[in-house]
Amino acid sequence: MDRRTALLRFAGLALIGFTDIRSLGAKPLNAIGKKRNSFHQFKLGELDLMIVSDGRIVMKPIQPNFAPGINSRRVEQELERNFAPTDHIELGINILVIKSKGRTILLDSGCGANFGEQSGGLIKNLQKADINPEDVTDVVITHAHPDHIGGLTGAENQLLFPKAKVYLSRIDHDFWLSENPDFSKSKLTDQQLIQFVKDVAKKNINALGDQLHLFEDGDTIVDCITMQLAPGHTPGHCVAKIFSNEASLYHIADLVHSAILVVAHPEWGFEGDSNFNQAVQTRRKVMSDLAASRSLIFSYHLPWPGLGHVRKKGNAYEWVQQLAMGPDES
């Protein structure tokens, strides 16, 4: 099918693509124990952290989803040079879970029911880790795109984490609930797709009622997460600094979607950024800071489990993956 047909059929394909959860298997590396799981556990100071898979995204075609306006042969050559497919890009949907002082905290909620049966595996995989939806006390939303906020509600608009406080930046809240969210500075022009993105955000925000709590840039949530505004992908898009004692981890959300095309070429960008040029500037600034500080990074969309570092390479950066176990094949 052509790109426009695909966009209409899979509502949101250009933004987050098609999930094939059956292909999630990988051989375990540095596994905790011998059993292969759909989650990866580790410590950060006194915090117990876990990464849980919501599925995998396959974005096809690559352009204009990535590198809109860049010469297609140049993009193809960069993919070939890195031994990557030239007809699609695979993205993880990696959910970070924090356990601290009796609280179970999710950072983002995955796709939910918005993209069909082949995505939205978060609750199933949480249960494999002995976490039920009622156990979740807090959900921190980095930004209100469908693959981050869509898992808060089910097909009948019911709250999937019924006891959780949900935190969202006031800027993103006001943007998505405004009469006409501004996409004039985005490379995304498909109006039906834009309407879908708006509708999912509004549906989930409005469903929360008094469970919704708004935060400002720099606010600290539940004593171990500081939210730092990183605008461009959405106006209120945030990076989350998770900290305990002297240890820290930076959850960079959708700052980057591809190590090959965006970490290495920050200016090539992503079609789904609501303000394309601002996202480029933010991406460069945040990656420069993280590279200089040699910080541990968690990425929502880079390969499982999304842990690694960025380092300077010429005028751009490169992603250094931290090896870890892979999720189940089933």
Side-chain angles (χ1 to χ4, degrees):
M1 67 184 73
D2 62 26
R3 179 173 181 270
R4 291 300 168 190
T5 302
L7 282 172
L8 297 178
R9 180 174 175 182
F10 297 114
L13 184 62
L15 187 64
I16 71 165
F18 183 134
T19 304
D20 183 2
I21 199 167
R22 296 170 299 178
S23 64
L24 284 170
K27 293 183 179 180
L29 300 172
N30 298 338
I32 298 175
K34 296 181 180 179
K35 184 179 179 181
R36 298 172 69 184
N37 296 304
S38 295
F39 52 90
H40 171 58
Q41 301 175 85
F42 61 106
K43 295 281 291 187
L44 185 78
E46 297 180 359
L47 302 175
D48 293 309
L49 270 60
M50 180 185 298
I51 300 167
V52 180
S53 176
D54 186 58
R56 173 178 287 183
I57 294 167
V58 179
M59 301 192 72
K60 184 176 182 177
I62 291 174
Q63 288 182 288
N65 294 313
F66 291 88
I70 303 299
N71 181 274
S72 60
R73 180 56 188 152
R74 188 179 176 196
V75 173
E76 188 176 80
Q77 288 173 335
E78 187 70 356
L79 293 164
E80 290 173 343
R81 189 175 68 83
N82 285 276
F83 308 98
T86 58
D87 64 338
H88 70 278
I89 290 180
E90 298 183 358
L91 311 181
I93 313 175
N94 309 316
I95 309 293
L96 187 64
V97 183
I98 303 171
K99 289 192 173 183
S100 175
K101 300 177 181 177
R103 308 193 74 83
T104 298
I105 308 157
L106 305 184
L107 278 90
D108 291 327
S109 66
C111 297
N114 293 289
F115 301 94
E117 295 179 357
Q118 296 187 53
S119 64
L122 174 61
I123 288 179
K124 176 188 73 175
N125 288 332
L126 283 172
Q127 289 171 332
K128 288 184 180 181
D130 296 323
I131 299 173
N132 292 313
E134 296 79 10
D135 300 331
V136 176
T137 59
D138 306 89
V139 183
V140 180
I141 302 297
T142 61
H143 65 291
H145 272 164
D147 55 326
H148 294 256
I149 200 171
L152 291 179
T153 61
E156 304 301 322
N157 209 36
Q158 75 277 20
L159 294 177
L160 297 181
F161 303 102
K163 297 181 180 180
K165 295 180 180 179
V166 179
Y167 301 86
L168 176 68
S169 77
R170 185 178 299 277
I171 294 173
D172 241 34
H173 170 274
D174 293 350
F175 175 77
W176 293 108
L177 293 190
S178 66
E179 184 175 347
N180 187 28
D182 183 11
F183 279 79
S184 64
K185 296 178 181 178
S186 175
K187 301 288 185 179
L188 187 62
T189 59
D190 186 281
Q191 293 304 310
Q192 288 179 287
L193 176 56
I194 290 172
Q195 189 61 51
F196 165 77
V197 174
K198 293 177 183 178
D199 289 346
V200 173
K202 288 181 179 179
K203 171 198 169 189
N204 283 274
I205 293 170
N206 288 330
L208 292 169
D210 60 8
Q211 289 181 229
L212 177 64
H213 299 264
L214 302 181
F215 63 80
E216 309 291 347
D217 179 26
D219 282 357
T220 295
I221 299 170
V222 292
D223 299 326
C224 61
I225 307 168
T226 298
M227 303 305 293
Q228 301 174 350
L229 186 64
H233 186 59
T234 70
H237 175 268
C238 286
V239 166
K241 178 184 178 181
I242 298 95
F243 59 91
S244 175
N245 298 332
E246 300 301 315
S248 61
L249 168 69
Y250 288 83
H251 183 314
I252 61 171
D254 279 11
L255 187 77
V256 297
H257 294 74
S258 165
I260 297 170
L261 297 183
V262 185
V263 176
H265 299 276
E267 74 284 359
W268 284 9
F270 185 67
E271 187 184 40
D273 295 333
S274 66
N275 185 325
F276 187 88
N277 291 334
Q278 185 182 43
V280 170
Q281 295 170 2
T282 295
R283 189 175 300 123
R284 286 190 177 279
K285 173 63 167 62
V286 174
M287 286 199 295
S288 176
D289 292 344
L290 293 174
S293 62
R294 299 175 61 87
S295 298
L296 179 62
I297 297 168
F298 172 79
S299 172
Y300 196 79
H301 287 306
L302 295 188
W304 174 267
L307 291 169
H309 299 79
V310 290
R311 63 186 172 200
K312 198 83 169 66
K313 185 177 181 179
N315 293 323
Y317 305 90
E318 64 179 344
W319 174 248
V320 182
Q321 179 82 11
Q322 184 180 87
L323 298 181
M325 61 188 287
D328 290 344
E329 292 180 355
S330 60

